[in-house]
Amino acid sequence: MGSITENLQKIKKSLPENVTLVAVSKTKPIVDLIEAYNSGHRIFGENKVQEMTEKWEQLPKDIQWHMIGHVQTNKVKYMAPFVSLIHGVESLKLLKEINKQAAKNDRIIHCLLQIHIAKEDTKFGFDAKEVTTIIETETFKSLQNIKVIGLMGMATFTKNKNQIEKEFQEIKNLFDSLKIKPETNNLKINTLSIGMSGDYRIAIKNGSTMVRVGSAIFGERNY
Ligand SMILES: *Cc1c(COP(=O)(O)O)cnc(C)c1O
């Protein structure tokens, strides 16, 4: 495995132009993020609000911080001043809280709805029907300080490529059906966040526009 800079360059070179790379830096020390930053990277993903906030405080302010993990409603306020995209939105309750905290900060916070595609109960998310229902509710339409720009999904942790592909196709189909809906003030679907170190190539073949890659850039994590 190369250096962080080498890994980043190699991965970036392999990505189609329309695919955004989120460098997942969770558990990694600030020096690692600085190396990625110095090589030109600006989009980082974290899965814990507190860790992300601490890193945001210490690092240059032109970094875009993506929250990719499961979010508890009582933690939203800490990241509302700076978070650039929240990937893991899996309830209307959470969306309402993000809206409230975004309003307090005079911001519009971009969100992705997390879709449950894996055949594992440990992963969170809406099913396809719920999403279609929720975005039609008056409650959703009244949320002025959020903008839902797409979907996020995590495939089952498996070596079975066919299964991963099937799950990605499932979310891609939902993405396509939402993308053709008329744009509103808080809904404009253009981002499909699928693909991690082990499966981002499969995800790209299946329509990913945003990949979240951690260990292939920063090395394995020790929890
Ligand atoms: C940790 C994490 C990633 C990155 O995982 P790698 O396998 O290290 O690339 C991507 N997405 C989510 C939601 C994660 O929690």
Side-chain angles (χ1 to χ4, degrees):
M1 185 143 183
S3 69
I4 292 168
T5 304
E6 286 165 354
N7 297 337
L8 261 173
Q9 281 169 351
K10 212 168 80 194
I11 293 169
K12 276 187 179 168
K13 225 186 272 167
S14 78
L15 297 180
E17 219 170 297
N18 68 319
V19 176
T20 302
L21 174 64
V22 179
V24 176
S25 48
K26 63 189 185 194
T27 79
K28 295 296 175 184
I30 290 285
V31 288
D32 287 7
L33 284 80
I34 290 174
E35 179 175 346
Y37 182 88
N38 285 340
S39 82
H41 200 72
R42 292 293 180 271
I43 306 175
F44 292 87
E46 291 283 335
N47 71 338
K48 296 211 164 64
V49 173
Q50 187 179 338
E51 183 177 342
M52 183 170 78
T53 305
E54 284 167 10
K55 287 173 172 172
W56 166 69
E57 283 165 354
Q58 295 176 57
L59 287 164
K61 294 298 173 278
D62 62 341
I63 290 176
Q64 295 171 41
W65 292 99
H66 288 208
M67 173 43 60
I68 62 167
H70 182 62
V71 178
Q72 289 169 286
T73 44
N74 62 348
K75 300 278 171 65
V76 173
K77 56 177 178 282
Y78 302 112
M79 63 175 165
F82 69 92
V83 67
S84 129
L85 181 62
I86 302 176
H87 289 235
V89 177
E90 38 73 55
S91 71
L92 189 54
K93 180 179 162 224
L94 179 58
L95 214 45
K96 281 162 70 177
E97 176 64 14
I98 295 168
N99 187 70
K100 182 176 147 192
Q101 298 301 335
K104 278 191 185 165
N105 287 277
D106 203 17
R107 298 186 66 209
I108 291 173
I109 295 181
H110 288 185
C111 298
L112 303 177
L113 301 178
Q114 183 167 353
I115 309 301
H116 189 261
I117 50 172
K119 304 295 167 266
E120 292 168 317
D121 291 337
T122 50
K123 289 180 179 151
F124 296 94
F126 295 108
D127 64 39
K129 246 220 206 95
E130 282 175 318
V131 164
T132 324
T133 309
I134 273 179
I135 59 176
E136 297 298 338
T137 62
E138 289 310 312
T139 305
F140 178 81
K141 289 176 184 168
S142 73
L143 303 176
Q144 300 293 318
N145 290 80
I146 52 118
K147 189 164 201 156
V148 170
I149 63 162
L151 306 178
M152 182 273 227
M154 261 192 283
T156 304
F157 187 71
T158 172
K159 287 202 161 66
N160 183 341
K161 286 195 173 157
N162 290 334
Q163 185 178 349
I164 295 173
E165 188 143 86
K166 233 173 68 193
E167 292 172 5
F168 284 157
Q169 277 167 8
E170 191 182 315
I171 192 170
K172 172 66 159 67
N173 288 340
L174 178 62
F175 175 70
D176 287 340
S177 74
L178 295 174
K179 217 164 76 170
I180 57 175
K181 281 191 187 291
E183 192 181 308
T184 66
N185 61 331
N186 67 2
L187 186 77
K188 184 185 182 186
I189 302 292
N190 56 30
T191 302
L192 180 58
S193 170
I194 50 173
M196 313 180 14
S197 292
D199 58 19
Y200 73 90
R201 292 177 190 85
I202 307 175
I204 288 167
K205 272 195 215 126
N206 288 282
S208 173
T209 71
M210 186 173 275
V211 292
R212 311 175 308 270
V213 179
S215 44
I217 297 170
F218 295 105
E220 293 301 323
R221 287 175 295 274
N222 309 304
Y223 287 98

